[in-house]
Amino acid sequence: FPTAPFPNPEEPGVMDAAMAEGERVGADIVLANDPDADRLAVGVPGVPGARGGRLLTGDEVGGLLAEHVLRGTSGADRTVATTIVSAGLLPKIAAAYGVRCAETLTGFKWLVRAGGPGERNVFSYEEALGYCIGGDDGRPVLDKDGIGAALVMAGIAARAKRDGRTLLDLLDDQARAYGLHRTGQVSLRTGDAARIAGAMERLRAHPPRAFGPLEVEGVEDFAPGLRGLPPTDALRYRLGGGARGRVTLRPSGTEPKLKAYLEVVLPVVDEIDDVRREADGLLEALKEAVARVM
């Protein structure tokens, strides 16, 4: 992978060359898998005469895929699933289609098991660019699949183009219907694992009252197990005050990092570009505040 600093499309800068090539050739979308093809990154290049392009977040791709799957399947036995660190968008989409949405711990070993007896898990995803797409044929999908997700995203983009639209327009439709969900991350890397454990212990003992402009309205501690989930070292803060949102903190399971998953949610009652600018400003303020607390 000579043009990528690291062969994982999650990492900052990895998609720069691909997006630049997409702009050069006038592509409608850019699709990229990681080396074992279980993740998918999606970008909309900026082209002359169109709005500026950008990479989509895993939560945005998850929302588009979920609505496509639910629109194309039927039955009261359907269920979808996402993780405790992903956006709060999927439960809203599921409610609109009359299906149950399960919440699991991070990792597809949990996501593919979501759903009770007699339920079909037709879609699951996590924000780290992983998607698991089922269907009406009843066969289980047992792991995330970046190739299958890429094919479905290509189909979604093709139908949008036929109507003179782009994936960004479809995201605007979802924001108007379910609220604008803007997400981001903050990571604290350290060579001392005790620092991470100490930070989690401190936050449990002295929970913050606010993160920047957003007040903490409630705290969920997943350590003892919550709503039937296995115990895990994670804290989630429900935020309010001018906007809704949440911050979820958990140590990385693979690296010496403390990770924070951030979300700001605003209703779209005015011009969507204005709402997006407001949400982006709140998200940046939230990142700074969370970094200080961490």
Side-chain angles (χ1 to χ4, degrees), residues 31-55:
L31 303 172
N33 295 123
D34 60 347
D36 61 351
D38 63 356
R39 300 177 195 268
L40 171 70
V42 180
V44 179
V47 294
R51 62 200 289 188
R54 64 177 177 87
L55 286 172

Side-chain angles (χ1 to χ4, degrees), residues 213-286:
L214 301 182
E215 300 172 359
V216 174
E217 295 187 340
V219 184
E220 297 171 302
D221 190 347
F222 292 88
L226 196 65
R227 291 189 292 278
L229 296 177
T232 191
D233 189 11
L235 292 165
R236 183 159 67 191
Y237 301 89
R238 299 191 308 276
L239 307 179
R244 311 304 297 180
R246 56 190 187 181
V247 171
T248 306
L249 289 165
R250 62 179 283 270
S252 170
T254 57
E255 300 176 272
K257 291 195 299 188
L258 179 59
K259 301 180 75 171
Y261 303 82
L262 321 179
E263 180 178 28
V264 171
V265 184
L266 288 173
V268 179
V269 294
D270 299 313
E271 285 291 329
I272 192 166
D273 288 341
D274 294 337
V275 178
R276 187 177 291 108
R277 280 190 290 271
E278 181 183 357
D280 288 345
L282 286 170
L283 187 62
E284 288 305 311
L286 194 58

Side-chain angles (χ1 to χ4, degrees), residues 31-85:
L31 303 172
N33 295 123
D34 60 347
D36 61 351
D38 63 356
R39 300 177 195 268
L40 171 70
V42 180
V44 179
V47 294
R51 62 200 289 188
R54 64 177 177 87
L55 286 172
L56 276 56
T57 68
D59 288 308
E60 289 174 327
V61 175
L64 293 176
L65 288 171
E67 193 142 25
H68 168 84
V69 170
L70 292 177
R71 193 181 294 118
T73 59
S74 60
D77 60 341
R78 295 173 298 166
T79 187
V80 296
T82 188
T83 71
I84 62 172
V85 301

Side-chain angles (χ1 to χ4, degrees), residues 155-172:
I156 293 171
R159 279 188 290 277
K161 184 175 183 179
R162 184 180 61 199
D163 298 332
R165 313 184 77 212
T166 71
L167 295 181
L168 301 182
D169 296 315
L170 301 186
L171 290 174
D172 287 351

Side-chain angles (χ1 to χ4, degrees), residues 14 16 25 29 31 62 66 69 100 126 130-131 154 186 190 214 216 248 255 273:
V14 170
D16 289 355
V25 302
I29 56 172
L31 303 172
V69 170
R100 190 174 79 86
E126 61 182 9
Y131 316 97
V186 174
T190 174
L214 301 182
V216 174
T248 306
E255 300 176 272
D273 288 341

